[in-house]
Amino acid sequence: HMRAFHCSWFAFFMAFFIWFAIAPLLPEIRDTLGLTKQQIWTSNIVGVGGTIFVRFLLGPLNDKYGPRILFTAVLCFASIPTACVGFVNSSVGLSVLRLFIGVAGGTF
């Protein structure tokens, strides 16, 4: 039982880390890319929108495949765009990246 408990809290920690990793970097990203406040808000909304969409998908898929498989798949998928944050060079790129990072929010 303790192994399942520790795997669960660590997986949720990773999900929160992925989902909130870009927030402390936004001032630096804004200055580097010369983004407006509107572009930052757009990227925030797109990230939350991705989360909402994924939650609708994960519900029925959880019933079919089980939460362990989907939780692992979502974390593995969401870790790739998180690792690519340094490659962003436009507001559109930031919004697309935040959309895919928002997938991790579907695990909450």
Side-chain angles (χ1 to χ4, degrees):
H1 294 335
M2 290 307 289
R3 180 175 52 177
F5 168 74
H6 289 302
C7 287
S8 295
W9 75 256
F10 186 72
F12 273 110
F13 171 77
M14 292 301 294
F16 277 106
F17 182 82
I18 289 170
W19 207 45
F20 292 113
I22 206 164
L25 300 174
L26 278 178
E28 185 65 31
I29 293 170
R30 181 191 63 222
D31 295 341
T32 303
L33 299 179
L35 301 176
T36 64
K37 194 174 245 185
Q38 180 66 34
Q39 291 169 323
I40 296 292
W41 276 104
T42 301
S43 74
N44 289 341
I45 291 168
V46 167
V48 173
T51 298
I52 293 168
F53 178 71
V54 168
R55 284 183 180 175
F56 281 119
L57 288 178
L58 287 180
L61 291 174
N62 251 341
D63 294 338
K64 186 172 184 177
Y65 298 109
R68 287 185 299 166
I69 293 170
L70 287 177
F71 199 77
T72 304
V74 167
L75 287 181
C76 289
F77 174 78
S79 66
I80 296 167
T82 305
C84 294
V85 168
F87 301 125
V88 171
N89 57 12
S90 68
S91 66
V92 174
L94 179 64
S95 293
V96 170
L97 194 73
R98 300 276 319 256
L99 174 69
F100 289 119
I101 290 174
V103 169
T107 60
F108 305 152

mmCIF file of all heavy atoms in Angstrom, residues 55-81:
data_model
loop_
_atom_site.group_PDB
_atom_site.id
_atom_site.type_symbol
_atom_site.label_atom_id
_atom_site.label_comp_id
_atom_site.label_asym_id
_atom_site.label_seq_id
_atom_site.Cartn_x
_atom_site.Cartn_y
_atom_site.Cartn_z
ATOM 1 N N ARG A 55 -9.821 16.958 -19.846
ATOM 2 C CA ARG A 55 -10.658 16.349 -18.805
ATOM 3 C C ARG A 55 -11.874 15.646 -19.418
ATOM 4 O O ARG A 55 -12.282 14.589 -18.952
ATOM 5 C CB ARG A 55 -11.096 17.393 -17.796
ATOM 6 C CG ARG A 55 -9.986 17.773 -16.861
ATOM 7 C CD ARG A 55 -10.440 18.740 -15.822
ATOM 8 N NE ARG A 55 -9.332 19.085 -14.943
ATOM 9 C CZ ARG A 55 -9.402 19.975 -14.001
ATOM 10 N NH1 ARG A 55 -10.535 20.629 -13.797
ATOM 11 N NH2 ARG A 55 -8.365 20.234 -13.247
ATOM 12 N N PHE A 56 -12.454 16.259 -20.444
ATOM 13 C CA PHE A 56 -13.580 15.601 -21.123
ATOM 14 C C PHE A 56 -13.135 14.307 -21.801
ATOM 15 O O PHE A 56 -13.875 13.335 -21.843
ATOM 16 C CB PHE A 56 -14.212 16.536 -22.155
ATOM 17 C CG PHE A 56 -15.126 17.561 -21.556
ATOM 18 C CD1 PHE A 56 -14.858 18.899 -21.708
ATOM 19 C CD2 PHE A 56 -16.244 17.179 -20.838
ATOM 20 C CE1 PHE A 56 -15.707 19.854 -21.163
ATOM 21 C CE2 PHE A 56 -17.095 18.117 -20.279
ATOM 22 C CZ PHE A 56 -16.820 19.459 -20.444
ATOM 23 N N LEU A 57 -11.936 14.295 -22.335
ATOM 24 C CA LEU A 57 -11.430 13.081 -22.982
ATOM 25 C C LEU A 57 -11.052 12.002 -21.974
ATOM 26 O O LEU A 57 -11.267 10.809 -22.219
ATOM 27 C CB LEU A 57 -10.207 13.410 -23.837
ATOM 28 C CG LEU A 57 -10.430 14.183 -25.114
ATOM 29 C CD1 LEU A 57 -9.104 14.458 -25.801
ATOM 30 C CD2 LEU A 57 -11.340 13.418 -26.038
ATOM 31 N N LEU A 58 -10.447 12.414 -20.865
ATOM 32 C CA LEU A 58 -9.934 11.430 -19.909
ATOM 33 C C LEU A 58 -11.022 10.691 -19.144
ATOM 34 O O LEU A 58 -10.799 9.564 -18.709
ATOM 35 C CB LEU A 58 -8.985 12.107 -18.916
ATOM 36 C CG LEU A 58 -7.629 12.510 -19.453
ATOM 37 C CD1 LEU A 58 -6.793 13.165 -18.363
ATOM 38 C CD2 LEU A 58 -6.886 11.329 -20.035
ATOM 39 N N GLY A 59 -12.191 11.294 -18.979
ATOM 40 C CA GLY A 59 -13.264 10.630 -18.234
ATOM 41 C C GLY A 59 -13.627 9.274 -18.810
ATOM 42 O O GLY A 59 -13.466 8.236 -18.147
ATOM 43 N N PRO A 60 -14.100 9.220 -20.049
ATOM 44 C CA PRO A 60 -14.451 7.919 -20.629
ATOM 45 C C PRO A 60 -13.237 7.014 -20.835
ATOM 46 O O PRO A 60 -13.339 5.791 -20.690
ATOM 47 C CB PRO A 60 -15.074 8.273 -21.978
ATOM 48 C CG PRO A 60 -15.431 9.713 -21.909
ATOM 49 C CD PRO A 60 -14.523 10.321 -20.898
ATOM 50 N N LEU A 61 -12.084 7.614 -21.155
ATOM 51 C CA LEU A 61 -10.894 6.782 -21.349
ATOM 52 C C LEU A 61 -10.436 6.135 -20.041
ATOM 53 O O LEU A 61 -9.902 5.028 -20.050
ATOM 54 C CB LEU A 61 -9.761 7.611 -21.955
ATOM 55 C CG LEU A 61 -9.976 8.049 -23.405
ATOM 56 C CD1 LEU A 61 -8.865 8.985 -23.850
ATOM 57 C CD2 LEU A 61 -10.064 6.845 -24.313
ATOM 58 N N ASN A 62 -10.650 6.840 -18.918
ATOM 59 C CA ASN A 62 -10.333 6.257 -17.614
ATOM 60 C C ASN A 62 -11.170 5.023 -17.352
ATOM 61 O O ASN A 62 -10.683 4.036 -16.791
ATOM 62 C CB ASN A 62 -10.586 7.279 -16.503
ATOM 63 C CG ASN A 62 -9.325 7.789 -15.888
ATOM 64 O OD1 ASN A 62 -8.270 7.180 -16.004
ATOM 65 N ND2 ASN A 62 -9.430 8.910 -15.232
ATOM 66 N N ASP A 63 -12.435 5.081 -17.717
ATOM 67 C CA ASP A 63 -13.310 3.930 -17.523
ATOM 68 C C ASP A 63 -12.862 2.742 -18.370
ATOM 69 O O ASP A 63 -12.992 1.585 -17.949
ATOM 70 C CB ASP A 63 -14.752 4.285 -17.877
ATOM 71 C CG ASP A 63 -15.339 5.309 -16.929
ATOM 72 O OD1 ASP A 63 -14.832 5.429 -15.797
ATOM 73 O OD2 ASP A 63 -16.295 6.000 -17.333
ATOM 74 N N LYS A 64 -12.330 3.033 -19.550
ATOM 75 C CA LYS A 64 -11.950 1.962 -20.460
ATOM 76 C C LYS A 64 -10.568 1.381 -20.159
ATOM 77 O O LYS A 64 -10.385 0.169 -20.150
ATOM 78 C CB LYS A 64 -11.998 2.470 -21.892
ATOM 79 C CG LYS A 64 -11.774 1.411 -22.919
ATOM 80 C CD LYS A 64 -12.011 1.922 -24.315
ATOM 81 C CE LYS A 64 -11.868 0.785 -25.304
ATOM 82 N NZ LYS A 64 -12.159 1.211 -26.657
ATOM 83 N N TYR A 65 -9.570 2.257 -19.913
ATOM 84 C CA TYR A 65 -8.187 1.791 -19.775
ATOM 85 C C TYR A 65 -7.635 1.827 -18.351
ATOM 86 O O TYR A 65 -6.596 1.241 -18.082
ATOM 87 C CB TYR A 65 -7.256 2.619 -20.673
ATOM 88 C CG TYR A 65 -7.589 2.481 -22.126
ATOM 89 C CD1 TYR A 65 -8.168 3.532 -22.816
ATOM 90 C CD2 TYR A 65 -7.354 1.302 -22.809
ATOM 91 C CE1 TYR A 65 -8.486 3.416 -24.158
ATOM 92 C CE2 TYR A 65 -7.677 1.170 -24.143
ATOM 93 C CZ TYR A 65 -8.240 2.239 -24.814
ATOM 94 O OH TYR A 65 -8.559 2.116 -26.124
ATOM 95 N N GLY A 66 -8.274 2.549 -17.467
ATOM 96 C CA GLY A 66 -7.802 2.633 -16.091
ATOM 97 C C GLY A 66 -6.941 3.863 -15.856
ATOM 98 O O GLY A 66 -6.271 4.352 -16.762
ATOM 99 N N PRO A 67 -6.962 4.358 -14.626
ATOM 100 C CA PRO A 67 -6.259 5.604 -14.331
ATOM 101 C C PRO A 67 -4.734 5.503 -14.351
ATOM 102 O O PRO A 67 -4.059 6.465 -14.692
ATOM 103 C CB PRO A 67 -6.765 5.982 -12.941
ATOM 104 C CG PRO A 67 -7.262 4.712 -12.349
ATOM 105 C CD PRO A 67 -7.724 3.874 -13.489
ATOM 106 N N ARG A 68 -4.185 4.364 -13.984
ATOM 107 C CA ARG A 68 -2.714 4.264 -13.948
ATOM 108 C C ARG A 68 -2.103 4.436 -15.325
ATOM 109 O O ARG A 68 -1.110 5.153 -15.502
ATOM 110 C CB ARG A 68 -2.276 2.932 -13.355
ATOM 111 C CG ARG A 68 -2.482 2.837 -11.868
ATOM 112 C CD ARG A 68 -1.933 1.561 -11.333
ATOM 113 N NE ARG A 68 -2.633 0.439 -11.961
ATOM 114 C CZ ARG A 68 -2.222 -0.816 -11.905
ATOM 115 N NH1 ARG A 68 -1.124 -1.116 -11.259
ATOM 116 N NH2 ARG A 68 -2.902 -1.768 -12.486
ATOM 117 N N ILE A 69 -2.689 3.802 -16.309
ATOM 118 C CA ILE A 69 -2.150 3.883 -17.670
ATOM 119 C C ILE A 69 -2.302 5.301 -18.211
ATOM 120 O O ILE A 69 -1.353 5.871 -18.770
ATOM 121 C CB ILE A 69 -2.854 2.864 -18.577
ATOM 122 C CG1 ILE A 69 -2.492 1.447 -18.135
ATOM 123 C CG2 ILE A 69 -2.506 3.096 -20.038
ATOM 124 C CD1 ILE A 69 -3.302 0.361 -18.795
ATOM 125 N N LEU A 70 -3.479 5.892 -18.040
ATOM 126 C CA LEU A 70 -3.711 7.225 -18.580
ATOM 127 C C LEU A 70 -2.913 8.295 -17.852
ATOM 128 O O LEU A 70 -2.417 9.229 -18.469
ATOM 129 C CB LEU A 70 -5.195 7.560 -18.544
ATOM 130 C CG LEU A 70 -6.023 6.825 -19.576
ATOM 131 C CD1 LEU A 70 -7.484 7.150 -19.425
ATOM 132 C CD2 LEU A 70 -5.556 7.169 -20.969
ATOM 133 N N PHE A 71 -2.796 8.171 -16.536
ATOM 134 C CA PHE A 71 -2.021 9.145 -15.771
ATOM 135 C C PHE A 71 -0.569 9.145 -16.241
ATOM 136 O O PHE A 71 0.022 10.201 -16.465
ATOM 137 C CB PHE A 71 -2.108 8.809 -14.280
ATOM 138 C CG PHE A 71 -1.743 9.937 -13.380
ATOM 139 C CD1 PHE A 71 -2.627 10.965 -13.166
ATOM 140 C CD2 PHE A 71 -0.522 9.969 -12.739
ATOM 141 C CE1 PHE A 71 -2.307 12.012 -12.319
ATOM 142 C CE2 PHE A 71 -0.185 11.000 -11.897
ATOM 143 C CZ PHE A 71 -1.093 12.031 -11.685
ATOM 144 N N THR A 72 -0.031 7.957 -16.426
ATOM 145 C CA THR A 72 1.345 7.836 -16.910
ATOM 146 C C THR A 72 1.476 8.388 -18.320
ATOM 147 O O THR A 72 2.423 9.135 -18.621
ATOM 148 C CB THR A 72 1.776 6.358 -16.888
ATOM 149 O OG1 THR A 72 1.614 5.850 -15.561
ATOM 150 C CG2 THR A 72 3.208 6.204 -17.321
ATOM 151 N N ALA A 73 0.535 8.074 -19.180
ATOM 152 C CA ALA A 73 0.591 8.555 -20.565
ATOM 153 C C ALA A 73 0.490 10.076 -20.625
ATOM 154 O O ALA A 73 1.229 10.728 -21.375
ATOM 155 C CB ALA A 73 -0.518 7.917 -21.387
ATOM 156 N N VAL A 74 -0.405 10.651 -19.832
ATOM 157 C CA VAL A 74 -0.572 12.113 -19.838
ATOM 158 C C VAL A 74 0.688 12.795 -19.323
ATOM 159 O O VAL A 74 1.147 13.792 -19.890
ATOM 160 C CB VAL A 74 -1.811 12.522 -19.011
ATOM 161 C CG1 VAL A 74 -1.834 14.012 -18.747
ATOM 162 C CG2 VAL A 74 -3.077 12.099 -19.724
ATOM 163 N N LEU A 75 1.273 12.275 -18.253
ATOM 164 C CA LEU A 75 2.494 12.884 -17.729
ATOM 165 C C LEU A 75 3.651 12.770 -18.719
ATOM 166 O O LEU A 75 4.428 13.716 -18.886
ATOM 167 C CB LEU A 75 2.881 12.259 -16.393
ATOM 168 C CG LEU A 75 2.016 12.642 -15.202
ATOM 169 C CD1 LEU A 75 2.543 11.962 -13.936
ATOM 170 C CD2 LEU A 75 1.964 14.143 -15.015
ATOM 171 N N CYS A 76 3.765 11.638 -19.362
ATOM 172 C CA CYS A 76 4.839 11.485 -20.363
ATOM 173 C C CYS A 76 4.619 12.430 -21.536
ATOM 174 O O CYS A 76 5.569 13.057 -22.019
ATOM 175 C CB CYS A 76 4.908 10.041 -20.844
ATOM 176 S SG CYS A 76 5.541 8.899 -19.615
ATOM 177 N N PHE A 77 3.371 12.552 -21.992
ATOM 178 C CA PHE A 77 3.073 13.450 -23.101
ATOM 179 C C PHE A 77 3.324 14.901 -22.719
ATOM 180 O O PHE A 77 3.921 15.661 -23.486
ATOM 181 C CB PHE A 77 1.624 13.265 -23.557
ATOM 182 C CG PHE A 77 1.210 14.247 -24.605
ATOM 183 C CD1 PHE A 77 1.595 14.066 -25.923
ATOM 184 C CD2 PHE A 77 0.446 15.354 -24.284
ATOM 185 C CE1 PHE A 77 1.230 14.980 -26.901
ATOM 186 C CE2 PHE A 77 0.075 16.266 -25.251
ATOM 187 C CZ PHE A 77 0.472 16.076 -26.565
ATOM 188 N N ALA A 78 2.871 15.314 -21.544
ATOM 189 C CA ALA A 78 2.984 16.715 -21.130
ATOM 190 C C ALA A 78 4.410 17.111 -20.773
ATOM 191 O O ALA A 78 4.734 18.293 -20.767
ATOM 192 C CB ALA A 78 2.060 16.983 -19.950
ATOM 193 N N SER A 79 5.264 16.150 -20.491
ATOM 194 C CA SER A 79 6.645 16.499 -20.152
ATOM 195 C C SER A 79 7.432 16.974 -21.371
ATOM 196 O O SER A 79 8.364 17.760 -21.243
ATOM 197 C CB SER A 79 7.350 15.303 -19.506
ATOM 198 O OG SER A 79 7.488 14.255 -20.437
ATOM 199 N N ILE A 80 7.035 16.545 -22.553
ATOM 200 C CA ILE A 80 7.753 16.933 -23.778
ATOM 201 C C ILE A 80 7.611 18.433 -24.052
ATOM 202 O O ILE A 80 8.616 19.123 -24.225
ATOM 203 C CB ILE A 80 7.301 16.073 -24.971
ATOM 204 C CG1 ILE A 80 7.689 14.620 -24.720
ATOM 205 C CG2 ILE A 80 7.907 16.588 -26.273
ATOM 206 C CD1 ILE A 80 7.040 13.636 -25.670
ATOM 207 N N PRO A 81 6.389 19.002 -24.083
ATOM 208 C CA PRO A 81 6.318 20.449 -24.298
ATOM 209 C C PRO A 81 6.915 21.258 -23.148
ATOM 210 O O PRO A 81 7.424 22.358 -23.366
ATOM 211 C CB PRO A 81 4.827 20.734 -24.463
ATOM 212 C CG PRO A 81 4.122 19.538 -24.007
ATOM 213 C CD PRO A 81 5.064 18.395 -24.093
#
